[in-house]
Amino acid sequence: MAIYFGGAHGFSALILILALLAACEACQLEKKCGLNPRFWLVALILCAAFALRFFKATPYIGCFSAALCSPQILLAGFLIAALKSPYSDYPSKTLLPEYITIVVFGAFVLCFSRLAEIDLKIAVWTAFVIKFSDIGGYLFGCGFGRNKIAPAISPKKSWEGLLGGIFFSVAGGMAIAHYLMPESFKDVPTPLV
């Protein structure tokens, strides 16, 4: 409904919500590993990135993206934290996981928003391909999952589920591309569609 009425902006808003949910889960997983990211800070920065993109603040979004991906920003944060408290594990247990989470999910939000502006059908197709991966991973993992990937962090994830996710993602993406969206993929070589 959001895509039908909101078009690219509605789709981008859905992506932001999904990114916030995924970032929350990532922060919880990081806490299980003994790290201490602050989800509120991650969410605030992701919403700021989305707002800049939504209001077409192109020069600012470029600066924002460069700042997020700049190792100098990370290094400066580490140095400031180290000068403030030289024996603290704050930089490695808080700053680094926050930075990585922001970069990964910030890129997710910004790339999907841009893709939706270019071609909404391809953006929706990409979202379906990702969802097919989840479905395949769940089905194959529940049905055949014997070999665990990382039982201490995520006890239900298995190698069989990973392979099932890849298979469903490729098969579902190819089926949608071939049968429902042939005009969007007309320039792609036939063996790939």
Side-chain angles (χ1 to χ4, degrees), residues 92-143:
S92 61
K93 290 198 171 185
T94 302
L95 284 182
L96 185 61
E98 286 171 352
Y99 176 79
I100 292 171
T101 306
I102 290 166
V103 168
V104 168
F105 293 104
F108 176 75
V109 169
L110 296 177
C111 290
F112 258 106
S113 296
R114 180 69 182 129
L115 184 58
E117 288 176 3
I118 295 170
D119 190 339
L120 184 57
K121 285 182 183 178
I122 298 292
V124 172
W125 173 81
T126 306
F128 272 108
V129 168
I130 293 168
K131 196 60 195 166
F132 283 140
S133 174
D134 286 345
I135 294 168
Y138 178 76
L139 292 176
F140 275 67
C142 288

CSV table of all heavy atoms in Angstrom, one decimal, residues 92-143:
chain,number,residue,atom,x,y,z
A,92,SER,N,36.7,0.2,21.3
A,92,SER,CA,36.5,-1.1,20.6
A,92,SER,C,35.2,-1.8,20.9
A,92,SER,O,34.7,-2.5,20.0
A,92,SER,CB,37.7,-2.1,21.0
A,92,SER,OG,37.6,-2.3,22.4
A,93,LYS,N,34.6,-1.5,22.0
A,93,LYS,CA,33.4,-2.2,22.4
A,93,LYS,C,32.1,-1.3,22.1
A,93,LYS,O,31.0,-1.8,22.0
A,93,LYS,CB,33.4,-2.6,23.9
A,93,LYS,CG,34.3,-3.7,24.1
A,93,LYS,CD,34.0,-4.4,25.4
A,93,LYS,CE,34.9,-5.6,25.5
A,93,LYS,NZ,34.6,-6.4,26.7
A,94,THR,N,32.3,0.0,21.9
A,94,THR,CA,31.1,0.8,21.6
A,94,THR,C,31.2,1.5,20.3
A,94,THR,O,30.4,1.4,19.4
A,94,THR,CB,30.9,1.8,22.7
A,94,THR,OG1,30.8,1.1,24.0
A,94,THR,CG2,29.7,2.7,22.5
A,95,LEU,N,32.3,2.3,20.1
A,95,LEU,CA,32.4,3.1,18.8
A,95,LEU,C,32.5,2.2,17.6
A,95,LEU,O,31.8,2.5,16.6
A,95,LEU,CB,33.7,4.0,18.9
A,95,LEU,CG,33.6,5.2,19.8
A,95,LEU,CD1,34.9,6.0,19.7
A,95,LEU,CD2,32.4,6.1,19.3
A,96,LEU,N,33.4,1.2,17.6
A,96,LEU,CA,33.5,0.4,16.4
A,96,LEU,C,32.3,-0.4,16.0
A,96,LEU,O,31.9,-0.3,14.8
A,96,LEU,CB,34.7,-0.6,16.6
A,96,LEU,CG,35.1,-1.5,15.4
A,96,LEU,CD1,35.5,-0.6,14.2
A,96,LEU,CD2,36.2,-2.4,15.7
A,97,PRO,N,31.5,-1.0,16.9
A,97,PRO,CA,30.3,-1.7,16.5
A,97,PRO,C,29.2,-0.7,16.0
A,97,PRO,O,28.5,-0.9,15.1
A,97,PRO,CB,29.8,-2.4,17.7
A,97,PRO,CG,30.8,-2.2,18.8
A,97,PRO,CD,31.9,-1.4,18.3
A,98,GLU,N,29.2,0.5,16.6
A,98,GLU,CA,28.2,1.5,16.2
A,98,GLU,C,28.6,2.0,14.8
A,98,GLU,O,27.7,2.1,13.9
A,98,GLU,CB,28.3,2.7,17.1
A,98,GLU,CG,27.6,2.5,18.4
A,98,GLU,CD,27.8,3.6,19.4
A,98,GLU,OE1,28.6,4.5,19.2
A,98,GLU,OE2,27.1,3.6,20.5
A,99,TYR,N,29.9,2.2,14.5
A,99,TYR,CA,30.3,2.7,13.2
A,99,TYR,C,30.0,1.7,12.1
A,99,TYR,O,29.4,2.0,11.1
A,99,TYR,CB,31.8,3.0,13.3
A,99,TYR,CG,32.4,3.4,12.0
A,99,TYR,CD1,32.3,4.7,11.5
A,99,TYR,CD2,33.1,2.5,11.2
A,99,TYR,CE1,32.8,5.1,10.3
A,99,TYR,CE2,33.7,2.9,10.0
A,99,TYR,CZ,33.6,4.2,9.6
A,99,TYR,OH,34.1,4.6,8.4
A,100,ILE,N,30.3,0.4,12.4
A,100,ILE,CA,30.1,-0.6,11.4
A,100,ILE,C,28.6,-0.7,11.1
A,100,ILE,O,28.1,-0.9,10.0
A,100,ILE,CB,30.7,-1.9,11.8
A,100,ILE,CG1,32.2,-1.8,11.8
A,100,ILE,CG2,30.2,-3.1,11.0
A,100,ILE,CD1,33.0,-2.9,12.4
A,101,THR,N,27.8,-0.7,12.2
A,101,THR,CA,26.3,-0.9,12.0
A,101,THR,C,25.8,0.3,11.2
A,101,THR,O,24.9,0.1,10.3
A,101,THR,CB,25.6,-0.9,13.4
A,101,THR,OG1,26.2,-2.0,14.1
A,101,THR,CG2,24.2,-1.2,13.3
A,102,ILE,N,26.2,1.5,11.5
A,102,ILE,CA,25.8,2.7,10.8
A,102,ILE,C,26.2,2.6,9.3
A,102,ILE,O,25.3,2.9,8.4
A,102,ILE,CB,26.3,4.0,11.5
A,102,ILE,CG1,25.6,4.2,12.8
A,102,ILE,CG2,26.1,5.2,10.5
A,102,ILE,CD1,26.3,5.2,13.7
A,103,VAL,N,27.4,2.2,9.0
A,103,VAL,CA,27.9,2.2,7.6
A,103,VAL,C,27.0,1.1,6.9
A,103,VAL,O,26.6,1.4,5.8
A,103,VAL,CB,29.4,1.9,7.6
A,103,VAL,CG1,29.8,1.5,6.2
A,103,VAL,CG2,30.2,3.1,8.1
A,104,VAL,N,26.9,-0.1,7.4
A,104,VAL,CA,26.2,-1.1,6.7
A,104,VAL,C,24.7,-0.7,6.5
A,104,VAL,O,24.2,-0.8,5.3
A,104,VAL,CB,26.2,-2.5,7.5
A,104,VAL,CG1,25.3,-3.5,7.0
A,104,VAL,CG2,27.7,-3.0,7.5
A,105,PHE,N,24.0,-0.3,7.5
A,105,PHE,CA,22.6,-0.1,7.3
A,105,PHE,C,22.3,1.3,6.7
A,105,PHE,O,21.3,1.5,6.0
A,105,PHE,CB,21.8,-0.2,8.6
A,105,PHE,CG,21.8,-1.7,9.1
A,105,PHE,CD1,22.6,-2.1,10.1
A,105,PHE,CD2,21.0,-2.6,8.4
A,105,PHE,CE1,22.6,-3.4,10.5
A,105,PHE,CE2,21.0,-3.9,8.8
A,105,PHE,CZ,21.8,-4.3,9.8
A,106,GLY,N,23.3,2.2,6.9
A,106,GLY,CA,23.2,3.5,6.2
A,106,GLY,C,23.3,3.3,4.7
A,106,GLY,O,22.6,3.9,3.9
A,107,ALA,N,24.3,2.5,4.3
A,107,ALA,CA,24.4,2.2,2.8
A,107,ALA,C,23.2,1.5,2.3
A,107,ALA,O,22.7,1.8,1.2
A,107,ALA,CB,25.6,1.3,2.6
A,108,PHE,N,22.6,0.6,3.1
A,108,PHE,CA,21.4,-0.1,2.7
A,108,PHE,C,20.2,0.9,2.4
A,108,PHE,O,19.6,0.9,1.4
A,108,PHE,CB,21.0,-1.1,3.8
A,108,PHE,CG,19.7,-1.8,3.6
A,108,PHE,CD1,19.6,-2.8,2.8
A,108,PHE,CD2,18.6,-1.4,4.4
A,108,PHE,CE1,18.4,-3.5,2.6
A,108,PHE,CE2,17.4,-2.1,4.2
A,108,PHE,CZ,17.3,-3.2,3.3
A,109,VAL,N,20.0,1.8,3.3
A,109,VAL,CA,18.9,2.8,3.2
A,109,VAL,C,19.2,3.7,2.0
A,109,VAL,O,18.3,4.0,1.1
A,109,VAL,CB,18.8,3.7,4.5
A,109,VAL,CG1,17.9,4.9,4.2
A,109,VAL,CG2,18.2,2.8,5.6
A,110,LEU,N,20.4,4.3,1.9
A,110,LEU,CA,20.7,5.2,0.8
A,110,LEU,C,20.7,4.6,-0.6
A,110,LEU,O,20.2,5.1,-1.5
A,110,LEU,CB,22.1,5.9,1.1
A,110,LEU,CG,22.2,6.7,2.3
A,110,LEU,CD1,23.6,7.3,2.5
A,110,LEU,CD2,21.2,7.9,2.3
A,111,CYS,N,21.2,3.4,-0.7
A,111,CYS,CA,21.3,2.7,-2.0
A,111,CYS,C,19.9,2.3,-2.4
A,111,CYS,O,19.5,2.5,-3.6
A,111,CYS,CB,22.2,1.4,-1.9
A,111,CYS,SG,23.9,1.8,-1.8
A,112,PHE,N,19.1,1.8,-1.5
A,112,PHE,CA,17.7,1.4,-1.9
A,112,PHE,C,16.9,2.6,-2.2
A,112,PHE,O,16.0,2.6,-3.2
A,112,PHE,CB,17.0,0.6,-0.8
A,112,PHE,CG,17.0,-0.9,-1.0
A,112,PHE,CD1,17.8,-1.7,-0.4
A,112,PHE,CD2,16.1,-1.4,-2.0
A,112,PHE,CE1,17.8,-3.1,-0.6
A,112,PHE,CE2,16.0,-2.8,-2.2
A,112,PHE,CZ,16.9,-3.6,-1.5
A,113,SER,N,17.1,3.7,-1.5
A,113,SER,CA,16.3,5.0,-1.8
A,113,SER,C,16.7,5.5,-3.2
A,113,SER,O,15.8,5.9,-4.0
A,113,SER,CB,16.6,6.1,-0.8
A,113,SER,OG,16.2,5.7,0.5
A,114,ARG,N,18.0,5.4,-3.5
A,114,ARG,CA,18.4,5.9,-4.9
A,114,ARG,C,17.9,4.9,-5.9
A,114,ARG,O,17.5,5.4,-7.0
A,114,ARG,CB,20.0,5.9,-4.9
A,114,ARG,CG,20.5,6.4,-6.2
A,114,ARG,CD,20.2,7.8,-6.5
A,114,ARG,NE,20.8,8.2,-7.8
A,114,ARG,CZ,20.1,8.8,-8.7
A,114,ARG,NH1,18.8,9.2,-8.5
A,114,ARG,NH2,20.6,9.1,-9.8
A,115,LEU,N,18.0,3.6,-5.7
A,115,LEU,CA,17.5,2.7,-6.7
A,115,LEU,C,16.0,2.9,-6.9
A,115,LEU,O,15.5,2.8,-8.1
A,115,LEU,CB,17.7,1.2,-6.2
A,115,LEU,CG,17.4,0.1,-7.1
A,115,LEU,CD1,18.1,0.2,-8.5
A,115,LEU,CD2,17.7,-1.2,-6.5
A,116,ALA,N,15.2,3.2,-5.9
A,116,ALA,CA,13.8,3.4,-6.0
A,116,ALA,C,13.5,4.6,-6.9
A,116,ALA,O,12.5,4.7,-7.7
A,116,ALA,CB,13.1,3.5,-4.7
A,117,GLU,N,14.4,5.6,-6.8
A,117,GLU,CA,14.2,6.8,-7.6
A,117,GLU,C,14.5,6.5,-9.1
A,117,GLU,O,13.9,7.1,-10.0
A,117,GLU,CB,15.1,7.9,-7.1
A,117,GLU,CG,14.7,8.6,-5.8
A,117,GLU,CD,15.7,9.6,-5.3
A,117,GLU,OE1,16.7,9.9,-6.0
A,117,GLU,OE2,15.5,10.2,-4.2
A,118,ILE,N,15.5,5.7,-9.3
A,118,ILE,CA,15.9,5.3,-10.7
A,118,ILE,C,14.8,4.4,-11.3
A,118,ILE,O,14.4,4.7,-12.4
A,118,ILE,CB,17.3,4.7,-10.7
A,118,ILE,CG1,18.3,5.7,-10.2
A,118,ILE,CG2,17.6,4.1,-12.1
A,118,ILE,CD1,19.7,5.0,-10.0
A,119,ASP,N,14.5,3.3,-10.7
A,119,ASP,CA,13.5,2.4,-11.2
A,119,ASP,C,12.9,1.6,-10.0
A,119,ASP,O,13.5,0.7,-9.4
A,119,ASP,CB,14.2,1.4,-12.1
A,119,ASP,CG,13.2,0.5,-12.9
A,119,ASP,OD1,12.0,0.4,-12.5
A,119,ASP,OD2,13.6,0.0,-13.9
A,120,LEU,N,11.6,2.0,-9.7
A,120,LEU,CA,10.9,1.4,-8.6
A,120,LEU,C,10.7,-0.1,-8.7
A,120,LEU,O,10.8,-0.8,-7.7
A,120,LEU,CB,9.6,2.2,-8.4
A,120,LEU,CG,8.8,1.8,-7.1
A,120,LEU,CD1,9.6,2.0,-5.9
A,120,LEU,CD2,7.5,2.6,-7.1
A,121,LYS,N,10.4,-0.5,-9.9
A,121,LYS,CA,10.2,-2.0,-10.1
A,121,LYS,C,11.5,-2.8,-9.8
A,121,LYS,O,11.4,-3.8,-9.2
A,121,LYS,CB,9.8,-2.2,-11.6
A,121,LYS,CG,8.4,-1.8,-11.9
A,121,LYS,CD,8.1,-2.2,-13.4
A,121,LYS,CE,6.7,-1.7,-13.8
A,121,LYS,NZ,6.5,-2.0,-15.2
A,122,ILE,N,12.6,-2.3,-10.2
A,122,ILE,CA,13.8,-3.0,-9.9
A,122,ILE,C,14.1,-3.0,-8.4
A,122,ILE,O,14.6,-4.0,-7.8
A,122,ILE,CB,15.0,-2.4,-10.7
A,122,ILE,CG1,14.8,-2.5,-12.2
A,122,ILE,CG2,16.4,-3.0,-10.3
A,122,ILE,CD1,14.9,-3.9,-12.7
A,123,ALA,N,13.8,-1.9,-7.8
A,123,ALA,CA,14.0,-1.8,-6.3
A,123,ALA,C,13.1,-2.8,-5.6
A,123,ALA,O,13.6,-3.5,-4.7
A,123,ALA,CB,13.7,-0.4,-5.8
A,124,VAL,N,11.8,-2.9,-6.0
A,124,VAL,CA,10.9,-3.9,-5.4
A,124,VAL,C,11.4,-5.3,-5.7
A,124,VAL,O,11.4,-6.2,-4.8
A,124,VAL,CB,9.5,-3.6,-5.9
A,124,VAL,CG1,8.5,-4.7,-5.4
A,124,VAL,CG2,9.0,-2.2,-5.4
A,125,TRP,N,11.8,-5.5,-6.9
A,125,TRP,CA,12.4,-6.8,-7.3
A,125,TRP,C,13.5,-7.2,-6.4
A,125,TRP,O,13.6,-8.3,-5.9
A,125,TRP,CB,12.8,-6.8,-8.7
A,125,TRP,CG,13.5,-8.1,-9.2
A,125,TRP,CD1,12.9,-9.3,-9.5
A,125,TRP,CD2,14.9,-8.3,-9.3
A,125,TRP,NE1,13.9,-10.2,-9.9
A,125,TRP,CE2,15.1,-9.6,-9.7
A,125,TRP,CE3,16.0,-7.5,-9.1
A,125,TRP,CZ2,16.4,-10.2,-9.9
A,125,TRP,CZ3,17.3,-8.0,-9.3
A,125,TRP,CH2,17.4,-9.3,-9.7
A,126,THR,N,14.4,-6.3,-6.1
A,126,THR,CA,15.6,-6.5,-5.3
A,126,THR,C,15.1,-6.9,-3.9
A,126,THR,O,15.7,-7.8,-3.2
A,126,THR,CB,16.5,-5.3,-5.3
A,126,THR,OG1,16.9,-5.0,-6.6
A,126,THR,CG2,17.8,-5.6,-4.5
A,127,ALA,N,14.1,-6.2,-3.4
A,127,ALA,CA,13.6,-6.5,-2.0
A,127,ALA,C,13.0,-7.9,-2.0
A,127,ALA,O,13.2,-8.6,-1.0
A,127,ALA,CB,12.6,-5.4,-1.6
A,128,PHE,N,12.3,-8.3,-3.1
A,128,PHE,CA,11.8,-9.6,-3.1
A,128,PHE,C,12.9,-10.7,-3.1
A,128,PHE,O,12.8,-11.8,-2.5
A,128,PHE,CB,10.8,-9.8,-4.3
A,128,PHE,CG,9.4,-9.5,-4.0
A,128,PHE,CD1,8.9,-8.3,-4.6
A,128,PHE,CD2,8.6,-10.2,-3.2
A,128,PHE,CE1,7.6,-7.9,-4.3
A,128,PHE,CE2,7.3,-9.9,-2.9
A,128,PHE,CZ,6.8,-8.7,-3.5
A,129,VAL,N,13.9,-10.4,-3.9
A,129,VAL,CA,15.1,-11.4,-3.9
A,129,VAL,C,15.7,-11.6,-2.5
A,129,VAL,O,16.0,-12.7,-2.1
A,129,VAL,CB,16.1,-10.9,-4.9
A,129,VAL,CG1,17.4,-11.7,-4.8
A,129,VAL,CG2,15.6,-11.0,-6.3
A,130,ILE,N,15.8,-10.5,-1.8
A,130,ILE,CA,16.3,-10.6,-0.4
A,130,ILE,C,15.3,-11.4,0.5
A,130,ILE,O,15.7,-12.2,1.3
A,130,ILE,CB,16.5,-9.2,0.2
A,130,ILE,CG1,17.7,-8.5,-0.6
A,130,ILE,CG2,16.8,-9.2,1.7
A,130,ILE,CD1,17.8,-7.0,-0.3
A,131,LYS,N,14.0,-11.1,0.3
A,131,LYS,CA,13.0,-11.9,1.1
A,131,LYS,C,13.0,-13.3,0.7
A,131,LYS,O,12.9,-14.2,1.6
A,131,LYS,CB,11.7,-11.3,0.9
A,131,LYS,CG,10.7,-11.7,1.9
A,131,LYS,CD,11.1,-11.3,3.3
A,131,LYS,CE,10.4,-12.0,4.4
A,131,LYS,NZ,11.1,-11.8,5.7
A,132,PHE,N,13.2,-13.7,-0.5
A,132,PHE,CA,13.3,-15.1,-0.9
A,132,PHE,C,14.5,-15.8,-0.2
A,132,PHE,O,14.4,-16.9,0.1
A,132,PHE,CB,13.4,-15.2,-2.5
A,132,PHE,CG,12.2,-15.0,-3.2
A,132,PHE,CD1,12.2,-14.3,-4.4
A,132,PHE,CD2,11.0,-15.5,-2.8
A,132,PHE,CE1,11.0,-14.1,-5.1
A,132,PHE,CE2,9.8,-15.3,-3.5
A,132,PHE,CZ,9.8,-14.6,-4.7
A,133,SER,N,15.5,-15.0,0.0
A,133,SER,CA,16.7,-15.6,0.7
A,133,SER,C,16.3,-16.0,2.1
A,133,SER,O,16.7,-17.0,2.6
A,133,SER,CB,17.8,-14.6,0.7
A,133,SER,OG,18.9,-15.0,1.5
A,134,ASP,N,15.5,-15.1,2.8
A,134,ASP,CA,15.1,-15.4,4.1
A,134,ASP,C,14.2,-16.6,4.2
A,134,ASP,O,14.3,-17.5,5.0
A,134,ASP,CB,14.3,-14.2,4.7
A,134,ASP,CG,15.2,-13.0,5.1
A,134,ASP,OD1,16.4,-13.2,5.2
A,134,ASP,OD2,14.6,-11.9,5.3
A,135,ILE,N,13.2,-16.7,3.2
A,135,ILE,CA,12.3,-17.8,3.2
A,135,ILE,C,13.0,-19.1,2.9
A,135,ILE,O,12.8,-20.1,3.6
A,135,ILE,CB,11.2,-17.6,2.1
A,135,ILE,CG1,10.3,-16.4,2.5
A,135,ILE,CG2,10.4,-18.8,1.9
A,135,ILE,CD1,9.4,-15.9,1.4
A,136,GLY,N,13.9,-19.1,1.9
A,136,GLY,CA,14.7,-20.3,1.6
A,136,GLY,C,15.6,-20.7,2.8
A,136,GLY,O,15.7,-21.9,3.1
A,137,GLY,N,16.2,-19.8,3.4
A,137,GLY,CA,17.1,-20.1,4.6
A,137,GLY,C,16.2,-20.7,5.7
A,137,GLY,O,16.7,-21.7,6.3
A,138,TYR,N,15.0,-20.2,5.9
A,138,TYR,CA,14.2,-20.7,7.0
A,138,TYR,C,13.7,-22.1,6.6
A,138,TYR,O,13.8,-23.0,7.5
A,138,TYR,CB,13.0,-19.8,7.2
A,138,TYR,CG,12.0,-20.3,8.2
A,138,TYR,CD1,12.3,-20.2,9.6
A,138,TYR,CD2,10.8,-20.9,7.9
A,138,TYR,CE1,11.5,-20.7,10.5
A,138,TYR,CE2,10.0,-21.4,8.8
A,138,TYR,CZ,10.3,-21.3,10.1
A,138,TYR,OH,9.4,-21.8,11.1
A,139,LEU,N,13.2,-22.3,5.4
A,139,LEU,CA,12.7,-23.6,5.0
A,139,LEU,C,13.8,-24.7,5.0
A,139,LEU,O,13.6,-25.8,5.6
A,139,LEU,CB,12.0,-23.6,3.6
A,139,LEU,CG,10.7,-22.7,3.6
A,139,LEU,CD1,10.2,-22.7,2.1
A,139,LEU,CD2,9.7,-23.3,4.5
A,140,PHE,N,14.9,-24.4,4.4
A,140,PHE,CA,16.0,-25.4,4.3
A,140,PHE,C,16.6,-25.6,5.7
A,140,PHE,O,17.0,-26.7,6.1
A,140,PHE,CB,17.1,-25.0,3.3
A,140,PHE,CG,16.7,-25.4,1.9
A,140,PHE,CD1,15.7,-24.8,1.2
A,140,PHE,CD2,17.5,-26.3,1.3
A,140,PHE,CE1,15.4,-25.2,-0.1
A,140,PHE,CE2,17.3,-26.7,0.0
A,140,PHE,CZ,16.2,-26.1,-0.7
A,141,GLY,N,16.7,-24.5,6.5
A,141,GLY,CA,17.3,-24.6,7.8
A,141,GLY,C,16.5,-25.5,8.7
A,141,GLY,O,17.0,-26.3,9.5
A,142,CYS,N,15.1,-25.3,8.7
A,142,CYS,CA,14.3,-26.1,9.5
A,142,CYS,C,14.2,-27.5,9.0
A,142,CYS,O,14.1,-28.5,9.8
A,142,CYS,CB,12.8,-25.5,9.5
A,142,CYS,SG,12.7,-24.0,10.5
A,143,GLY,N,14.2,-27.7,7.7
A,143,GLY,CA,14.0,-29.1,7.2
A,143,GLY,C,15.3,-29.9,7.2
A,143,GLY,O,15.3,-31.1,7.4
